[in-house]
Amino acid sequence: MIYSCFILFFLLFNNFCNAFTLSNEDSKKIGMQIWMNECGGKKEGLTSWNIGEDFASMGIGHFIWCPKKNKCPFEEQFPKLLIFFEENNITLPKWLNDDRSCPWNSRDEFQKNLYSDKLEDLRSLLLKTIDIQVLFITNNLKQSLNRMMDSICESKKKHIRYQIDRLISFPNGLYALIDYRNFKGDGSCPDENYRGVKWGLLQVLEQMPYPDKQHNVIKEFINSAKTLLIQRVKNAPKERNEERWLKGWFNRLETYNLTL
């Protein structure tokens, strides 16, 4: 369980101060669970390209990596992770020095090169940097919370603060925040919507009720997320056939109830 005694979290004026920490043990547990969520805990899953998508997915968080010729429909994170690796003194494969765009232009091309030197390089890199990837995901959450608060009107900020305070005081609440933000974004990106409806962390928190703090906040968070993801599937372009992913998404949300 991820208990609030491992967390330091402060409010500063209208923004969240970037100050919460995880113990090494809990950081490892969260990293392993995210890896299980995204990749089934398999080394091969650290480098993948899902059917029907125009981009590769890398690392324990399946960070989006787009070919140069493709416009990313969602926030691209893998190039930012590579920069983060360098900032943490991780040596990258030399072939990444020239161009940080995904070198494969389609899923077919990617699959044909599944056991190429480049993909083996990446799997080796990602396998030995699980802890750094968790730190990257956690830092993304910190930035997202401030960005989310900046994107909403004053009348909504009290409700969002209240829900976050409830979550981080509850077992697995921080894991839920970290994982969902990594899983479906923070909800502040204007391009991440279908028919004007978003499904990010901000929208999940906005939709949660305002009950007594004794209520099961994890259950409320899961129910809110499920409602938004159902709406996403309904609003998605038919050719994306997103309904095929809904069961897996729901299974992932239910991990927020598990004892890590």
Side-chain angles (χ1 to χ4, degrees), residues 72-134:
C72 254
F74 308 117
E75 183 182 5
E76 188 177 17
Q77 285 288 316
F78 189 63
K80 296 178 183 178
L81 176 62
L82 295 177
I83 294 171
F84 193 73
F85 281 158
E86 290 180 316
E87 291 173 348
N88 284 271
N89 300 315
I90 302 298
T91 301
L92 303 181
K94 290 181 179 180
W95 59 268
L96 278 170
N97 292 335
D98 297 328
D99 190 351
R100 295 290 168 87
S101 300
C102 178
W104 303 280
N105 293 310
S106 67
R107 185 177 187 275
D108 285 344
E109 186 179 339
F110 181 89
Q111 291 297 113
K112 288 176 182 177
N113 289 276
L114 201 55
Y115 297 101
S116 64
D117 290 344
K118 286 184 177 180
L119 279 171
E120 291 290 0
D121 282 347
L122 287 172
R123 283 189 281 269
S124 295
L125 171 69
L126 294 164
L127 188 62
K128 69 182 182 182
T129 56
I130 302 296
D131 56 338
I132 305 297
Q133 292 175 65
V134 174

Side-chain angles (χ1 to χ4, degrees), residues 178-191:
I178 289 171
D179 184 72
Y180 192 85
R181 188 271 163 211
N182 182 70
F183 171 40
K184 290 300 176 196
D186 62 30
S188 66
C189 180
D191 295 331

Side-chain angles (χ1 to χ4, degrees), residues 151-168:
S151 73
I152 58 178
C153 62
E154 200 64 36
S155 61
K156 291 184 178 180
K157 289 181 180 179
K158 182 178 179 181
H159 178 78
I160 299 301
R161 288 195 189 105
Y162 173 77
Q163 300 298 356
I164 292 174
D165 178 61
R166 294 176 67 216
L167 280 161
I168 65 174

Side-chain angles (χ1 to χ4, degrees), residues 42-58:
K42 297 178 180 178
K43 179 181 177 181
E44 292 76 12
L46 293 171
T47 57
S48 62
W49 191 311
N50 293 329
I51 295 172
E53 293 185 334
D54 297 323
F55 49 83
S57 298
M58 300 282 144

Side-chain angles (χ1 to χ4, degrees), residues 175-223:
Y175 161 57
L177 287 169
I178 289 171
D179 184 72
Y180 192 85
R181 188 271 163 211
N182 182 70
F183 171 40
K184 290 300 176 196
D186 62 30
S188 66
C189 180
D191 295 331
E192 292 189 356
N193 72 86
Y194 290 145
R195 300 183 184 180
V197 180
K198 298 182 178 183
W199 52 79
L201 178 60
L202 174 60
Q203 288 73 45
V204 174
L205 295 170
E206 284 179 331
Q207 192 171 264
M208 289 171 66
Y210 213 125
D212 183 270
K213 285 193 176 185
Q214 298 304 312
H215 288 213
N216 189 328
V217 64
I218 296 295
K219 184 176 180 180
E220 291 167 6
F221 184 90
I222 292 171
N223 289 340

